[in-house]
Amino acid sequence: MDTEITGGINIAMKVPSHQYEATIAFYRDVVGLKPFTAKAPAIGFELGPNRLWIDEAPMMSQAEVWLELFTPDFKSAASHLAKAGVVRCDAIERLGEGFRGGWITSPANIIHLVREPDAW
């Protein structure tokens, strides 16, 4: 494979509004993970070498976990993924003009953000 794709550091948990506060309290108060608010109002937690982001998702009825993948060249990675039949789902969440990345889904319907490390 000519295209390099590696695991990222961000894990997003999209949580319905009716479970959001309890989920934050669980990771902060019960599990005891260290929170950070560098991108307020987003709330994240240190999860070993990863960041676990808890995102309120009022349009959802159940929680989902979304993963991040890094690539040094998104165009090349997107081409490779398309040739492999991977489904793009960029409409799931807007990333902004000029963002060097996009959304895909795995065969198990797990959402992945594939992006260049400095995509923002």
Side-chain angles (χ1 to χ4, degrees), residues 67 69 71 74 78 81 87-90 92-93 95 99-105 111-116 119:
L67 303 175
L69 299 171
T71 180
F74 178 69
L81 293 165
V87 176
R88 289 284 296 267
C89 52
D90 291 328
I92 197 157
E93 186 175 290
L95 294 169
F99 185 85
R100 293 180 317 280
W103 298 105
I104 62 167
T105 185
I111 301 299
H112 294 72
L113 174 60
V114 181
R115 71 176 181 94
E116 294 179 15

Side-chain angles (χ1 to χ4, degrees), residues 5 16 18-19 38 52 72 90 110:
I5 300 174
H18 68 279
Q19 298 171 328
L52 173 63
D90 291 328
I110 302 298

Side-chain angles (χ1 to χ4, degrees), residues 9-57:
I9 62 171
N10 292 303
I11 301 167
M13 185 180 298
K14 306 294 185 172
V15 179
S17 296
H18 68 279
Q19 298 171 328
Y20 182 72
E21 291 300 328
T23 301
I24 296 292
F26 172 78
Y27 287 104
R28 182 189 59 223
D29 304 334
V30 177
V31 177
L33 296 181
K34 182 179 176 183
F36 57 88
T37 56
K39 294 188 178 185
I43 298 173
F45 294 93
E46 292 180 10
L47 186 67
N50 298 95
R51 297 181 204 149
L52 173 63
W53 294 95
I54 310 297
D55 298 334
E56 186 173 8

Side-chain angles (χ1 to χ4, degrees), residues 65-80:
V65 173
W66 295 11
L67 303 175
E68 177 182 63
L69 299 171
F70 284 159
T71 180
D73 181 355
F74 178 69
K75 280 187 174 183
S76 174
S79 175
H80 168 76

